[in-house]
Amino acid sequence: MKYINAKFLLPDALVKELQHYIQGGYLYIPTDQTQQKCWGEKSGYRQELQQRNCRIRAARRQGASLEHLAEQYCLSIHAIRKIIYQK
């Protein structure tokens, strides 16, 4: 998490109001639940994993062994099984 100096972000009146409650400390402001994104949604990694998993399932349907897939994708056989059998 990157810290931002409140003086550079907030109006002076709000900074002074906050100083009544906390000075020189750290204040965590949680994300609004209606605007919160799912894991990997912002970076695109979730979609990348879904595409990888589709390729793994397709290769398995074409006869690739679990051992080969595990080695190819640097995953354990257990992880490959989870990907293949998930719905």
Side-chain angles (χ1 to χ4, degrees):
M1 175 188 316
K2 182 179 175 187
Y3 294 101
I4 301 170
N5 188 330
K7 290 192 300 186
F8 301 127
L9 182 67
L10 303 174
D12 289 338
L14 183 54
V15 171
K16 291 201 180 298
E17 181 66 27
L18 288 171
Q19 286 173 334
H20 290 291
Y21 299 96
I22 184 170
Q23 289 191 30
Y26 298 109
L27 177 65
Y28 173 74
I29 301 172
T31 304
D32 181 359
Q33 293 297 317
T34 61
Q35 295 180 357
Q36 191 171 9
K37 296 183 184 266
C38 294
W39 174 88
E41 194 174 43
K42 186 176 179 182
S43 68
Y45 193 60
R46 176 179 286 246
Q47 184 178 7
E48 188 177 321
L49 286 179
Q50 288 173 341
Q51 291 171 354
R52 179 206 64 185
N53 293 350
C54 285
R55 289 192 302 271
I56 289 172
R57 286 188 208 101
R60 180 64 176 160
R61 281 192 300 270
Q62 293 174 358
S65 70
L66 295 175
E67 293 80 10
H68 173 74
L69 292 171
E71 186 175 322
Q72 180 180 355
Y73 289 96
C74 300
L75 297 170
S76 68
I77 293 175
H78 178 74
I80 295 292
R81 280 192 187 116
K82 283 174 58 175
I83 290 167
I84 291 171
Y85 298 119
Q86 81 185 54
K87 299 197 182 218

